[in-house]
Every structure is written in structure tokens, then in C-alpha cells.
DNA sequence: TAAGAGATACTCT
DNA sequence: GAGTATCTCTTAA
């Protein structure tokens, strides 16, 4: 079951938590690469200084102000793409969830090749790594993730335990504990 | 195993 | 022109 708009039309932090254990699918050359989402971060709107959408709408962040369930891909540090999903309640002006880590399921060989690493755990245990492993670029920006296409998110497993931390790599809004993760080993 | 620095280009001021 | 929602390699212990 692909997650529908309603799933994303809730408070961003809640959606970030609920995305743990869900399945991310990327089609490439007719093959489905899939992975279980193991780490996420919530970025809201004007009430969140760390968010791209904290100040105002710009060319880059305008998707965060728009329709929920859309992908928000952006380029950072001169070489990495980040994958987000727009999620917000009707009260929020903007919001998105950063996918920070996945546990590879289908197409592990291809993802390994894309990354050029030996260890299974190094394939996609970071936001920049998983986009490389799955071949996600600006081409996947502003796509509808609630429809079965090149990129979508569907049901997965229910996490046994959820860990809550401060977000990573930011300088403002550090006090907000909006980083969520789960331990895949609990399930295998 | 931990800490530090460099790579690199895009976005916003 | 400064800062960046990161990763990898190198160095040292």
C-alpha cells in the first residue's frame, strides 16, 4: 500500500516519526530498489530556525510550502543531494521530513555498486549516501510520492523502538529533538 | 576509534 | 561573498 496524501497532511514531527519502518522504492532501469526508512528528521516552517523555510519562500524551498506528499530534493556541500517529503498540517505554512537513512532490501547489488563500498551498512546510512545508492538527483525533485511511479513510499514494518535525538548538521534550533531513528536489527 | 580537515558548487544576502 | 539538513580520508593514539 502506497502512503496517501492524508498520511502527510499532519504535523511534520509526527509524520517524521511515523515514516520510520516504511518502504522507500526507486525504480531504475526497470528494477525496483527498495529500502526500509531507518532515520528521519523534521523541518517545519517559520517556527523552526533550522528549516530552509524558516525565513521566506524562495526558488529552492517553495515546494515545502506546497502540496504534501511531494518530494523535495536539494543539493548541498557542493556534492550531495538530500531527499525530503513535504509533510505538514493545515495550520503550518511549510514543512518537510528529511530521509536520513535506509536499510537496503531489494537491489542491494546495484546500490552497492553505485556507492562503491564493501560493507552493507555503509550503503545508505546517511542522507547523502542513500541518494547516491538509489540514484536520486534533481530529476526526482517535486515528484508525487503518493503515486506509483519512479519514486514512492509504501507500508513497511512497525518499529519496535524509536529513538529521539537532536538534529544533525545544523547550527540553529539544536534544542529541538526532531531526529528519529530505529534499530533494524530488532526486526531481523 | 576518534578527531580534524578538505572537497566542492549552489543558494541566498 | 559567506554559509551549507555531508562524506571520506588521513592522522594519531
Amino acid at each position: 500500500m502506497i502512503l496517501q496524501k492524508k498520511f502527510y497532511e499532519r504535523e511534520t514531527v509526527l509524520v517524521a516519526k511515523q515514516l520510520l519502518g516504511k518502504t522507500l522504492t526507486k525504480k531504475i532501469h526497470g528494477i525496483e530498489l527498495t529500502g526500509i526508512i531507518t532515520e528521519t528528521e523534521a523541518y517545519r516552517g517559520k517556527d523552526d530556525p533550522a528549516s530552509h523555510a524558516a525565513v521566506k519562500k524562495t526558488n529552492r524551498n517553495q515546494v515545502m510550502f506546497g502540496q504534501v506528499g511531494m518530494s523535495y530534493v536539494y543539493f548541498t556541500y557542493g556534492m550531495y543531494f538530500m531527499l525530503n517529503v513535504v509533510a505538514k498540517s493545515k495550520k503550518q505554512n511549510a514543512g518537510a521530513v528529511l530521509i536520513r537513512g535506509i536499510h537496503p532490501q531489494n537491489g542491494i547489488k546495484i546500490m552497492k555498486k553505485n556507492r562503491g563500498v564493501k560493507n552493507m551498512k555503509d550503503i545508505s546510512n546517511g542522507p547523502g549516501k542513500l541518494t547516491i545508492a538509489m540514484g536520486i538527483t534533481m530529476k526526482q525533485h517535486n515528484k508525487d510520492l503518493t503515486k506509483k511511479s519512479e519514486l514512492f513510499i509504501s507500508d513497511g514494518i512497525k518499529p519496535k523502538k524509536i529513538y529521539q535525538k537532536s538534529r544533525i548538521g545544523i547550527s540553529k534550533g539544536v534544542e529541538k529533538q526532531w531526529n528519529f531513528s530505529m534499530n533494524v536489527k530488532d526486526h531481523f
Side-chain angles (χ1 to χ4, degrees):
Chain A
M1 263 288 281
I2 296 179
L3 302 177
Q4 295 304 302
K5 295 271 182 205
K6 244 188 157 40
F7 179 88
Y8 301 103
E9 199 178 80
R10 296 178 295 165
E11 203 284 314
T12 310
V13 176
L14 179 70
V15 176
K17 210 182 293 184
Q18 304 235 336
L19 271 174
L20 292 175
K22 299 291 189 286
T23 305
L24 177 69
T25 304
K26 168 74 166 56
K27 274 197 208 167
I28 181 166
H29 306 314
I31 300 165
E32 288 194 347
L33 305 178
T34 69
I36 294 174
I37 297 172
T38 55
E39 189 181 350
T40 61
E41 263 170 30
Y43 287 90
R44 304 218 304 190
K46 56 180 186 295
D47 61 343
D48 180 8
S51 172
H52 286 169
V55 183
K56 60 176 181 181
K57 202 195 279 196
T58 64
N59 259 341
R60 175 173 70 162
N61 67 22
Q62 59 179 324
V63 182
M64 287 181 74
F65 294 81
Q67 180 64 249
V68 298
M70 304 299 283
S71 61
Y72 171 43
V73 181
Y74 71 91
F75 188 70
T76 193
Y77 289 112
M79 45 181 111
Y80 299 109
F81 295 103
M82 304 284 138
L83 174 63
N84 302 251
V85 198
V86 177
K88 58 193 169 74
S89 70
K90 284 182 175 158
K91 286 182 194 165
Q92 299 172 254
N93 67 328
V97 176
L98 171 68
I99 314 290
R100 286 193 60 89
I102 60 166
H103 180 77
Q105 298 269 283
N106 237 10
I108 293 179
K109 265 193 197 163
I110 296 172
M111 292 195 248
K112 226 181 211 172
K113 199 176 151 201
N114 284 345
R115 291 269 301 120
V117 295
K118 290 176 192 157
N119 284 356
M120 160 88 181
K121 76 172 188 38
D122 290 328
I123 293 178
S124 54
N125 59 341
K129 300 182 190 180
L130 79 89
T131 55
I132 296 170
M134 286 195 154
I136 292 167
T137 67
M138 289 310 286
K139 277 186 192 157
Q140 278 72 46
H141 177 59
N142 204 10
K143 299 286 183 204
D144 193 343
L145 301 185
T146 64
K147 292 197 169 68
K148 184 158 183 163
S149 59
E150 202 184 349
L151 186 67
F152 58 88
I153 301 173
S154 49
D155 277 335
I157 57 176
K158 192 178 156 70
K160 273 206 180 112
K161 186 165 183 202
I162 292 174
Y163 302 88
Q164 186 167 10
K165 301 177 198 158
S166 286
R167 290 172 294 178
I168 295 171
I170 55 170
S171 50
K172 297 173 196 165
V174 185
E175 76 286 351
K176 292 178 168 53
Q177 304 235 317
W178 288 351
N179 171 290
F180 303 99
S181 58
M182 59 174 279
N183 194 347
V184 188
K185 283 181 187 157
D186 293 348
H187 300 269
F188 293 100

